[in-house]
Amino acid sequence: MAASPSPAGGGGAGAAHGSGPSSFAFDSGLEIKTRSVEQTLLPLVSQITTLINHKDNTKKSDKTLQAIQRVGQAVNLAVGRFVKVGEAIANENWDLKEEINIACIEAKQAGETIAALTDVSSLNRPESDGQITIFTDKTGVIKAARLLLSSVTRVLLLADRVVIKQIIRSRNKVLATMERLEKVNSFQEFVQIFSQFGNEMVEFAHLTGDRQNDLKDEKKKAKMAAARSVLEKCTMMLLTASKTCLRHPNCESAHKNKEGVFDRMKVALDKVIEIVTECKPNGESDISSISVFTGIKEFKMNIETLRENLCFQSKETLSAMLEALLERMEDFTDCAYTSHEHRERILELSAQARMELQQLVSVWIQAQSRKTKSIAEELELTILKISHNLNELKKELHSTAAQLAADLLKYHADHVVLKALKLTGVEGNLEGLAEYACKLSEQKERLVETCRLLRHVSGTEPLEITCLHAEETFQVTGQQIISAAETLTLHPSSKIAKENLDVFCEAWESQISDMSTLLREINDVFEGRRGEKYGYLSLPKPMKNSANLRSLKADKPDSEEQAKIAKLGLRLGLLTSDANCEIEKWEDQENEMVLYGRNMSSMAYSLYLFTRGEGPLKTYQDLIHQLEVFAEEGLKLASSVQAFSKQLKDDDKLMLLLEINKFVPLCHQLQTIIKTPLQNQVFLKVDKCITKARSMMAVLVQLLSLCYKLLKKESRY
């Protein structure tokens, strides 16, 4: 809520204790301080584990003893800082004071015990005989470490309860002030109350912003972001809508406009509390219905389990799943805006899916009674066929939704209807208002329908939530623009009514812009380009051979060069898609080979975007930076694959080493090209680098595929 007013003078969560603004400044920092100390403690606890596992028969040099003592002292100091923060939280929250203080005392005792047992700096001296240390009392260190972890965890959980209480108190204050704003009758009184409301909203924004950053669940983060976005935008709407109501108290459309803002803010405030307390009202589900892409994913998983277990699913269950899935696809075929070609193709693929499931069931029944090799192969073939059909359906559905959204965004980019509504308003043209209100309603319905289709193909739960938020925003804001335009048309000389309409139109334009970003993100996920979790598209650090870089052009490619490298990049883009498909097959997404492969695929995609004049790489210098890291990542992958090959039997090992022997020279060749002096032939160097990167990606796809097959083969033994 960056647009909110300054927090100066605002009351905070601490105001509930009668301590005013300064207390809020302290309370809002509690979570940050606690988190900071927690991050200090955890690595030190890891070092304690290392100490516990330290071999007793290892020679105890002075250097080793000093290192052990430093760790013990560091843990004790970190615990001391942690305890101070915990005690501060306890003093501000009397209902939890006793529990927090007990946990703090235990943490302090554990820290002091660890410090005492690791005080080994004088262990090599004669006078240290009989001293109890980590070497003579390992059990004591283990007990202290366990006590430390349990007590720290308890303090953190209690501190979390404090933060949740702060958010609830802050929400309640906002709601109470909103009720006063709804009933206010004089402009002067409104200004005073709104000033207080602004400060309370800033406090709420700070608390919920910190909470959003701390959430680990991406789905909850997306929900919190959506709710906070509503509150941020509605704060300004509430101001102008309320002022318009005060200026035109007998205007029905003005009151309708204002009520819409208050209602939406109350829903958003409740949503925030639902997220932080993890309590859903009346047990309602998160999303109105499962998306088509999620349904396809679940159906494919159930189909593929037949490879391992023929009795895992019933035929009726699979048939019911497919029918439910095809029913959800009616959102696409029944949509008035879906093209005839797309509709026919979706229906064709849907009918094909039914036929292929019938074929699968037939082979499945045979496989249950006749366990022969030929039947097993036929079952595998039918599973592959239906999986391929579902992939084709996904492509068609994504293409349908993405094309509709792109066409709609392009068509409404100039906001002709909004401009016309503003003009009819200042002219007092009621006939014009009716005409353009109708057009905006049509536009709204089309945007809502498109958001619904985008949700089906979004590919991730956070993006599904963002699509729902966009759908709701267009639905609500469309109606509010019409009521604001009606007020202006009835009072064409009213400056506040004009300002109010402008605010709602700006919110609409902002949501159109957000939808454009949303479409790009959905396309990225569909094409396997999303770097959300792993974030490898950021520019790498400068290369070591910086002298060579200084002679490199730092500017962007000109139009002629861009046209040439665009041809080079097309194949690279396709190869990144192939690599991502191979990566998706792996069950263990944290496998080292997968991580390096994903890293390379993400960087290759940024190279591909550069060839199109897009993405994070802007200049030739950026490109060369990325290529050097790309080559280094390739060598790391080769090393990881080589380590994996040692687990394999001779024939499999030889097959894998042959692929590695193709890959490693390409990495070295790319490094050589990068380090070669340019001699004013920048484009030639870029050409060679991208060509070599393309060759590396082609071998990478083969490597990932082979490693996956060999890993599956090994796991069967």
Side-chain angles (χ1 to χ4, degrees):
M1 301 184 197
S4 303
S6 166
H17 304 291
S19 44
S22 60
S23 179
F24 166 64
F26 174 72
D27 280 348
S28 66
L30 283 177
E31 192 170 8
I32 297 165
K33 289 177 184 175
T34 309
R35 189 164 61 245
S36 172
V37 179
E38 176 194 3
Q39 289 165 354
T40 306
L41 275 171
L42 293 179
L44 292 169
V45 171
S46 174
Q47 290 180 49
I48 294 168
T49 307
T50 307
L51 293 176
I52 290 166
N53 296 327
H54 192 278
K55 293 180 181 177
D56 292 334
N57 58 3
T58 306
K59 186 180 177 182
K60 305 174 186 68
S61 68
D62 287 340
K63 190 175 180 181
T64 302
L65 296 174
Q66 287 168 10
I68 290 169
Q69 184 163 5
R70 279 200 303 272
V71 171
Q73 289 171 344
V75 169
N76 196 26
L77 284 170
V79 171
R81 290 196 298 272
F82 185 87
V83 166
K84 280 184 181 177
V85 175
E87 288 169 347
I89 296 172
N91 290 332
E92 290 291 325
N93 297 272
W94 290 93
D95 53 335
L96 298 174
K97 184 171 183 176
E98 187 178 352
E99 287 181 80
I100 295 173
N101 280 339
I102 290 170
C104 285
I105 289 166
E106 288 179 2
K108 192 174 181 181
Q109 288 172 348
E112 288 170 352
T113 302
I114 289 167
L117 290 172
T118 53
D119 184 11
V120 292
S121 59
S122 61
L123 202 62
N124 284 340
R125 298 172 195 165
E127 63 269 20
S128 65
D129 290 348
Q131 182 182 342
I132 298 174
T133 68
I134 186 172
F135 300 111
T136 60
D137 187 14
K138 239 177 211 186
T139 307
V141 177
I142 293 168
K143 284 181 180 177
R146 284 176 179 165
L147 180 62
L148 176 60
L149 284 174
S150 66
S151 55
V152 165
T153 302
R154 266 187 293 148
V155 173
L156 292 173
L157 289 171
L158 291 165
D160 194 61
R161 281 167 59 185
V162 170
V163 172
I164 291 170
K165 282 170 61 181
Q166 286 178 350
I167 292 172
I168 293 170
R169 281 200 300 265
S170 181
R171 188 282 304 256
N172 291 342
K173 286 199 292 180
V174 168
L175 274 176
T177 308
M178 280 177 66
E179 285 180 17
R180 290 173 64 201
L181 281 173
E182 280 186 279
K183 297 171 184 174
V184 74
N185 291 317
S186 78
F187 192 77
Q188 187 178 359
E189 187 185 0
F190 170 79
V191 170
Q192 290 174 347
I193 298 172
F194 189 83
S195 176
Q196 178 188 339
F197 174 74
N199 289 328
E200 289 170 353
M201 282 300 293
V202 168
E203 174 193 319
F204 192 71
H206 285 317
L207 290 169
T208 54
D210 287 342
R211 191 69 180 178
Q212 183 181 320
N213 291 334
D214 285 339
L215 289 170
K216 301 292 187 290
D217 187 328
E218 293 298 324
K219 187 175 170 183
K220 287 180 183 174
K221 262 190 176 177
K223 285 183 175 183
M224 183 69 91
R228 292 180 74 241
S229 173
V230 169
L231 292 170
E232 178 188 341
K233 290 173 182 175
C234 282
T235 300
M236 182 54 71
M237 293 176 185
L238 186 143
L239 173 62
T240 56
S242 298
K243 283 164 71 178
T244 305
C245 251
L246 289 168
R247 188 63 55 87
H248 308 289
N250 299 320
C251 182
E252 187 181 337
S253 58
H255 282 282
K256 184 181 175 183
N257 182 254
K258 174 186 150 185
E259 286 164 10
V261 179
F262 275 95
D263 289 346
R264 194 156 191 233
M265 287 190 81
K266 287 172 185 175
V267 169
L269 287 165
D270 288 343
K271 181 62 69 178
V272 169
I273 300 306
E274 178 189 321
I275 296 162
V276 299
T277 59
E278 299 183 342
C279 295
K280 299 189 190 91
N282 305 320
E284 64 183 34
S285 59
D286 291 333
I287 291 176
S288 53
S289 65
I290 191 170
S291 72
V292 170
F293 270 27
T294 301
I296 288 174
K297 184 180 178 182
E298 290 177 0
F299 183 66
K300 280 178 72 177
M301 284 171 64
N302 280 274
I303 290 285
E304 287 166 3
T305 55
L306 296 177
R307 290 188 175 112
E308 310 296 331
N309 187 350
L310 292 172
C311 302
F312 183 74
Q313 290 288 349
S314 70
K315 296 175 282 295
E316 293 77 16
T317 300
L318 286 179
S319 297
M321 282 184 77
L322 181 62
E323 289 308 314
L325 184 57
L326 297 179
E327 187 179 333
R328 285 195 288 276
M329 289 183 202
E330 290 174 6
D331 283 353
F332 290 82
T333 54
D334 291 350
C335 176
Y337 313 112
T338 301
S339 69
H340 177 71
E341 293 78 11
H342 280 305
R343 185 178 289 108
E344 288 298 308
R345 181 65 177 148
I346 293 167
L347 291 170
E348 179 190 334
L349 288 167
S350 299
Q352 192 178 329
R354 282 195 181 97
M355 287 171 53
E356 283 171 355
L357 181 61
Q358 288 173 3
Q359 176 66 21
L360 175 65
V361 168
S362 175
V363 176
W364 181 9
I365 293 168
Q366 293 178 56
Q368 285 176 316
S369 56
R370 291 166 44 210
K371 299 187 187 306
T372 63
K373 186 179 178 183
S374 61
I375 284 292
E377 287 174 351
E378 194 176 347
L379 179 66
E380 177 65 20
L381 185 61
T382 52
I383 289 172
L384 289 173
K385 275 185 177 179
I386 197 165
S387 292
H388 176 73
N389 170 268
L390 292 169
N391 287 337
E392 289 300 306
L393 253 174
K394 279 182 73 175
K395 287 179 187 174
E396 194 62 35
L397 295 170
H398 173 266
S399 174
T400 303
Q403 187 178 321
L404 276 174
D407 291 347
L408 193 57
L409 289 167
K410 187 177 178 181
Y411 183 73
H412 294 296
D414 51 5
H415 304 293
V416 171
V417 175
L418 297 184
K419 290 172 184 174
L421 276 171
K422 289 177 186 179
L423 187 61
T424 56
V426 294
E427 289 175 347
N429 182 351
L430 288 169
E431 286 183 8
L433 170 68
E435 178 188 346
Y436 288 108
C438 184
K439 286 185 178 180
L440 185 68
S441 293
E442 289 171 8
Q443 183 178 332
K444 178 199 72 178
E445 289 306 318
R446 189 166 180 180
L447 283 163
V448 166
E449 187 80 9
T450 304
C451 288
R452 195 168 296 137
L453 299 187
L454 284 175
R455 183 176 74 80
H456 278 306
V457 302
S458 57
T460 70
E461 283 188 323
L463 286 177
E464 281 189 41
I465 289 160
T466 308
C467 288
L468 273 174
H469 169 65
E471 186 182 328
E472 290 166 2
T473 300
F474 283 125
Q475 190 75 264
V476 174
T477 312
Q479 289 299 118
Q480 288 177 315
I481 288 172
I482 291 169
S483 60
E486 186 180 340
T487 303
L488 178 59
T489 309
L490 292 170
H491 307 278
S493 60
S494 172
K495 288 182 181 178
I496 184 57
K498 183 179 181 302
E499 183 189 349
N500 188 45
L501 178 57
D502 287 341
V503 166
F504 283 96
C505 287
E506 282 168 16
W508 180 275
E509 289 168 13
S510 172
Q511 191 57 54
I512 291 281
S513 175
D514 290 347
M515 186 176 172
S516 179
T517 304
L518 175 61
L519 177 60
R520 283 200 300 274
E521 289 183 354
I522 289 170
N523 287 337
D524 283 348
V525 168
F526 182 76
E527 293 167 10
R529 324 291 198 199
R530 182 78 174 237
E532 178 180 68
K533 182 177 177 182
Y534 299 95
Y536 294 122
L537 293 184
S538 57
L539 293 178
K541 293 176 182 177
M543 298 188 302
K544 294 171 187 175
N545 54 323
S546 56
N548 183 36
L549 266 180
R550 279 195 288 272
S551 59
L552 187 65
K553 284 173 71 175
D555 56 340
K556 296 181 181 180
D558 59 37
S559 56
E560 185 179 345
E561 290 171 343
Q562 193 71 62
K564 288 177 183 176
I565 61 172
K567 294 176 184 176
L568 294 172
L570 184 60
R571 176 66 182 148
L572 188 62
L574 294 171
L575 284 166
T576 59
S577 183
D578 292 342
N580 288 329
C581 288
E582 290 300 329
I583 287 165
E584 281 180 8
K585 293 178 184 176
W586 292 64
E587 291 174 5
D588 181 10
Q589 287 290 307
E590 298 301 319
N591 182 292
E592 197 171 62
M593 292 180 285
V594 171
L595 294 175
Y596 288 134
R598 183 185 289 108
N599 217 348
M600 289 187 70
S601 179
S602 294
M603 285 189 278
Y605 181 59
S606 67
L607 300 176
Y608 161 67
L609 289 177
F610 179 86
T611 66
R612 296 174 55 185
E614 301 170 6
L617 308 176
K618 304 300 181 187
T619 66
Y620 282 129
Q621 189 166 333
D622 293 342
L623 180 74
I624 297 299
H625 278 325
Q626 187 81 92
L627 282 161
E628 177 155 341
V629 178
F630 180 78
E632 288 172 357
E633 207 70 3
L635 291 171
K636 289 177 187 175
L637 173 71
S639 176
S640 181
V641 173
Q642 204 148 17
F644 168 65
S645 71
K646 293 175 183 175
Q647 306 169 24
L648 305 174
K649 294 180 180 178
D650 288 345
D651 289 346
D652 292 339
K653 184 177 182 179
L654 181 61
M655 195 189 331
L656 189 55
L657 289 175
L658 286 171
E659 289 299 320
I660 295 171
N661 289 339
K662 292 179 193 174
F663 188 71
V664 172
L666 290 170
C667 298
H668 289 310
Q669 287 163 21
L670 178 57
Q671 287 180 325
T672 303
I673 296 168
I674 290 167
K675 292 172 184 175
T676 304
L678 295 171
Q679 297 175 344
N680 298 322
Q681 293 183 326
V682 180
F683 182 78
L684 180 61
K685 180 167 184 167
V686 169
D687 186 329
K688 286 181 178 179
C689 283
I690 294 177
T691 303
K692 197 61 66 178
R694 243 173 26 187
S695 301
M696 285 174 64
M697 285 300 295
V699 180
L700 173 68
V701 172
Q702 298 301 319
L703 257 180
L704 289 169
S705 176
L706 182 57
C707 288
Y708 173 75
K709 288 173 185 173
L710 294 175
L711 191 64
K712 291 285 281 186
K713 185 178 176 181
E714 280 293 300
S715 65
R716 292 195 196 105
Y717 293 110

